[in-house]
Each structure stands twice: as C-alpha cells, then as structure tokens.
Amino acid sequence: EAKLLGGIHKEFADIKDEFECIQAFLKDADKKVKRDDTTEGAKTWVKQVREAAFHIEDVIDDYLIQV
C-alpha cells in the first residue's frame, strides 16, 4: 500500500496537467461554437468532454481536500 501511495503525488500532477489541457480545448471549442463552425457530432463530443472534465475537477477537489 505504501508503494502504491508513494507515487500518487506525481500521478496527480500529471492528471492536473491533462485537465488544464482539456480546459484549454473546451475554451477553444466554445469559440468555434459561437461562430457556428462545428458539426452536431462535434458539439455532442464537446458536451461529453465537458461532462468528463466536471468529473475530473470533482476528483481533483476531493484529492486536495484529503491532502
């Protein structure tokens, strides 16, 4: 258990970096949606990515509370 928990802080940092990339992607996607420059399939995919981002953000918040 100690070995598993030993690397968790680095893994968390990696996840947080990926989350920042997702947020940047969503900001760019919002700009394209405002220009009406996307297909319905892309809009649906962005919606799903946004929902996943909300879940990731919740996990990050929970982790920070625990630490």
Side-chain angles (χ1 to χ4, degrees):
E1 188 174 328
K3 286 181 183 180
L4 290 174
L5 293 175
I8 196 135
H9 296 296
K10 183 184 178 331
E11 293 294 325
F12 173 76
D14 292 344
I15 290 169
K16 194 171 178 185
D17 289 344
E18 290 293 326
F19 179 64
E20 289 173 359
C21 292
I22 291 169
Q23 287 179 314
F25 163 79
L26 290 172
K27 284 181 185 178
D28 290 344
D30 287 340
K31 290 177 187 175
K32 287 185 179 186
V33 167
K34 286 180 183 176
R35 292 191 322 240
D36 199 31
D37 192 23
T38 56
T39 64
E40 287 303 311
K43 289 177 185 177
T44 300
W45 186 72
V46 168
K47 183 183 120 201
Q48 292 172 347
V49 171
R50 181 169 278 113
E51 289 173 7
F54 288 140
H55 292 293
I56 294 168
E57 187 174 27
D58 291 343
V59 170
I60 289 172
D61 290 342
D62 288 344
Y63 175 80
L64 292 174
I65 289 170
Q66 296 296 321
V67 173

